[in-house]
Amino acid sequence: MSDAEWAVVRPLLPVPGWLRGRGGQPEAYCHRAMLDAIRYLVDNGIKWRAMSADFPPWDRVYTFFRRWRDHGLVREFHDRLRPKVREQAGRDPEPSAGVMDSQSIKADAVVGRDSRGFDGGKLINGRKRHAVVDTLGLLLGVMVTAADIGDRAAGQVLLAQVAAAHHRLALVWADGGYTGSLVEYGLTVLALVLAIIKRSDDMRGFVVLPKRWIVERFFAHLMRSRRLVRDFERSTGSAEAMVYWSMTQLMTRRLARPGSSRA
């Protein structure tokens, strides 16, 4: 992280329990060193044991990663950054519209049979990332499942989670894979309009579809993080945490960009 990024990040970090009088042992390494190590791993796709000697020992970094994953701290940190990026762009801190889609990704050999499957449409053996983003392409919620889980089944669970966390959300765009009962479920149960954007039958070749390109750009960003090019995580919880870490890196860079309101 640059000094400008650290100035943005530091006030938004979750406060450790021992600093709030809740017990526990002070950490041996500063948060900046730990964050840099995890960001390096996500960005470059290295193994945990291949952590550079410039960072804290790999096992201490992994312990930090695991604690932030298990206690939801990485999502809390991510969710504190997103409103800042939206405000910088002149938007309301909380979104009122989003875009939903899924991405099938090949899984590494460490991924067990209980969390991997075969996507017959994409011919991929691995996992699937289901995501909802806002109209800026910032992540609102992600869920990782086996690749053979249908979009509608996973979308129902994910939409409920996102709607509970973002009360202003009233409209979500999605592709034809989410048609059917999910549209009615969103309207009657979640008070949410699920608008389906379909590709016209007379379209030929590559065509940019309204709104759907936003979530496709989000998935393209994930592919720039080498750890996310393939699913290398043993658990779906770790796979979801890696997505959040990738997005925090994107947002801190935007907030620290020269000419931004916080720079």
Side-chain angles (χ1 to χ4, degrees):
M1 271 186 291
S2 66
D3 290 340
E5 285 183 87
W6 178 241
V8 171
V9 165
R10 189 172 184 179
L12 302 177
L13 290 174
V15 180
W18 63 271
L19 279 178
R20 293 180 290 180
R22 297 175 57 185
Q25 186 177 1
E27 297 167 349
Y29 299 93
C30 72
H31 277 178
R32 184 172 183 176
M34 291 295 193
L35 294 180
D36 280 343
I38 295 176
R39 287 158 61 104
Y40 181 82
L41 179 137
V42 175
D43 196 38
N44 293 277
I46 64 171
K47 298 180 180 179
W48 284 105
R49 293 177 184 268
M51 187 69 66
S52 170
D54 296 325
F55 299 116
W58 76 267
D59 55 338
R60 302 301 297 269
V61 179
Y62 178 72
T63 299
F64 182 90
F65 167 84
R66 185 176 59 190
R67 181 166 61 84
W68 274 47
R69 176 200 67 193
D70 294 344
H71 295 279
L73 298 179
V74 60
R75 180 165 185 172
E76 179 182 342
F77 175 45
H78 169 275
D79 289 349
R80 291 179 180 180
L81 286 169
R82 186 184 55 249
K84 301 294 183 182
V85 179
R86 289 183 56 84
E87 289 176 343
Q88 177 182 295
R91 304 294 186 90
D92 191 281
E94 280 297 318
S96 60
V99 192
M100 181 169 62
D101 204 352
S102 65
Q103 176 192 45
S104 295
I105 195 79
K106 292 182 179 179
D108 191 67
V110 300
V111 176
R113 294 178 59 185
D114 59 331
S115 63
R116 74 155 67 219
F118 184 76
D119 182 348
K122 301 294 179 62
L123 301 180
I124 288 179
N125 186 339
R127 285 178 174 161
K128 186 180 289 187
R129 298 169 184 151
H130 308 267
V132 180
V133 301
D134 66 8
T135 53
L136 294 179
L138 303 177
L139 182 62
L140 301 180
V142 64
M143 184 171 67
V144 176
T145 68
D148 57 353
I149 300 298
D151 287 349
R152 283 190 292 271
Q156 181 172 327
V157 178
L158 181 59
L159 272 182
Q161 295 175 356
V162 172
H166 303 279
H167 300 293
R168 290 190 70 248
L169 196 66
L171 173 63
V172 174
W173 289 283
D175 65 19
Y178 296 93
T179 55
S181 60
L182 185 59
V183 176
E184 183 180 355
Y185 172 84
L187 192 60
T188 58
V189 178
L190 304 177
L192 191 69
V193 175
L194 187 62
I196 305 299
I197 301 175
K198 294 184 178 181
R199 179 185 174 93
S200 176
D201 294 335
D202 58 356
M203 289 182 178
R204 295 291 183 271
F206 174 77
V207 178
V208 177
L209 298 176
K211 305 302 180 183
R212 280 174 52 181
W213 66 268
I214 298 174
V215 69
E216 296 297 342
R217 183 183 61 180
F218 161 78
F219 288 130
H221 165 75
L222 296 187
M223 292 296 97
R224 298 185 64 184
S225 298
R226 292 186 179 180
R227 184 80 183 195
L228 298 174
V229 171
R230 183 185 292 260
D231 199 320
F232 295 100
E233 315 311 321
R234 293 183 183 273
S235 69
T236 56
S238 291
E240 293 167 1
M242 289 296 179
V243 174
Y244 282 114
W245 278 113
S246 178
M247 289 304 295
T248 60
Q249 191 164 358
L250 172 72
M251 290 190 290
T252 57
R253 287 173 176 173
R254 286 187 182 181
L255 290 171
R257 185 181 300 160
S260 70
S261 59
R262 296 186 61 88

